[in-house]
Amino acid sequence: MATLGQVGQAIMNPAIDEEMRIPTVNRAAIEAADLAAVMMISPSSNIATVGVAIQMREGRINYSSNDNRGVTLQGGLVYATLGLGTNLQAVRTQADDPLVTEAAAGAWPTEVTRTYVLSQRGTVYREIETRCTHVQGARAQIDVVGVMRDVVEVGEICKTAEGLRFANVHYLDVRSGRIWRTSQWTGPIQGNVQVDVIDQFDPDA
């Protein structure tokens, strides 16, 4: 993980096992129906699926697929997951977390503290507090399910007091800072989940 490029290659667009099938997306149909939709890829569980926005609550958008899998996004932060491995229940973060506020790459704070709440047996939960520092990469164009997006790459190196380390990689819109593609850690078992935003949610639409 010496460079941002190495981090990105290691966790973004992972090698797909034979068991994982990437769904074919009819982008024209999604846009015609005015649906907010995301592609979810979980390498640890060999799952790839497409979810559409079904609910917005307290600024968080729930995306659900036909196979009862889903992800909850708070801005560009993966707040919770369902059916992609070991469920992530919630992520508590600071008010100025740039994934939540969708800040441009140059406006990110030096460090962000996040607490991950993970499902355990019964009603028991495990909490993992992390501190993440970021490094800004280069501008690029990426293909997000058939559409080229102008983005800036931003990587995060996150650590816990117990010595756990992991990396996130985000592709931000050059102008707005909104996330088009992200690979975020969702727990020590489930690992990173990649989310590609096929069509952004517009609360005023």
Side-chain angles (χ1 to χ4, degrees), residues 67-86:
D67 50 1
N68 199 31
R69 307 182 194 278
V71 65
T72 300
L73 297 182
Q74 184 175 2
L77 175 71
V78 175
Y79 176 84
T81 66
L82 175 66
L84 300 175
T86 304

Side-chain angles (χ1 to χ4, degrees), residues 120-175:
Q120 302 291 289
R121 292 181 181 272
T123 57
V124 177
Y125 299 98
R126 177 185 179 190
E127 296 191 0
I128 301 175
E129 182 175 300
T130 66
R131 293 182 180 275
C132 302
T133 57
H134 75 277
V135 56
Q136 183 174 328
R139 288 182 59 164
Q141 280 200 329
I142 60 171
D143 184 342
V144 182
V145 193
V147 173
M148 300 304 296
R149 301 293 185 187
D150 293 317
V151 296
V152 176
E153 185 179 39
V154 175
E156 291 182 300
I157 302 300
C158 304
K159 304 177 185 178
T160 70
E162 294 75 27
L164 174 67
R165 289 170 58 95
F166 60 87
N168 300 323
V169 179
H170 318 289
Y171 290 92
L172 287 57
D173 186 275
V174 168
R175 292 172 295 279

Side-chain angles (χ1 to χ4, degrees), residues 27 111 119:
R27 174 177 282 277
E111 185 178 86
S119 298

Side-chain angles (χ1 to χ4, degrees), residues 7-202:
V7 172
Q9 289 177 13
I11 65 176
M12 295 296 297
N13 292 314
I16 304 301
D17 288 348
E18 292 179 3
E19 298 175 10
M20 185 190 293
R21 293 191 175 133
I22 303 297
T24 300
V25 177
N26 187 335
R27 174 177 282 277
I30 289 175
E31 292 180 349
D34 198 22
L35 293 172
V38 298
M39 173 86 75
M40 299 167 271
I41 301 174
S42 177
S44 66
S45 53
N46 289 330
I47 293 170
T49 189
V50 174
V52 298
I54 59 169
Q55 184 183 50
M56 182 174 184
R57 179 181 296 174
E58 297 178 349
R60 304 182 190 110
I61 305 166
N62 295 326
Y63 293 86
S64 183
S65 68
N66 289 335
D67 50 1
N68 199 31
R69 307 182 194 278
V71 65
T72 300
L73 297 182
Q74 184 175 2
L77 175 71
V78 175
Y79 176 84
T81 66
L82 175 66
L84 300 175
T86 304
N87 294 344
L88 171 65
Q89 292 296 316
V91 179
R92 296 196 301 270
T93 190
Q94 57 198 58
D96 64 344
D97 188 322
L99 290 180
V100 174
T101 62
E102 298 188 327
W108 281 40
T110 302
E111 185 178 86
V112 175
T113 299
R114 302 187 186 111
T115 301
Y116 294 80
V117 183
L118 305 166
S119 298
Q120 302 291 289
R121 292 181 181 272
T123 57
V124 177
Y125 299 98
R126 177 185 179 190
E127 296 191 0
I128 301 175
E129 182 175 300
T130 66
R131 293 182 180 275
C132 302
T133 57
H134 75 277
V135 56
Q136 183 174 328
R139 288 182 59 164
Q141 280 200 329
I142 60 171
D143 184 342
V144 182
V145 193
V147 173
M148 300 304 296
R149 301 293 185 187
D150 293 317
V151 296
V152 176
E153 185 179 39
V154 175
E156 291 182 300
I157 302 300
C158 304
K159 304 177 185 178
T160 70
E162 294 75 27
L164 174 67
R165 289 170 58 95
F166 60 87
N168 300 323
V169 179
H170 318 289
Y171 290 92
L172 287 57
D173 186 275
V174 168
R175 292 172 295 279
S176 69
R178 298 191 77 174
I179 301 291
W180 286 113
R181 172 177 292 159
T182 182
S183 177
Q184 294 181 40
W185 189 80
T186 59
I189 297 175
Q190 187 167 273
N192 280 58
V193 168
Q194 179 175 322
V195 177
D196 284 16
V197 179
I198 301 170
D199 206 8
Q200 293 276 8
F201 180 82
D202 183 356

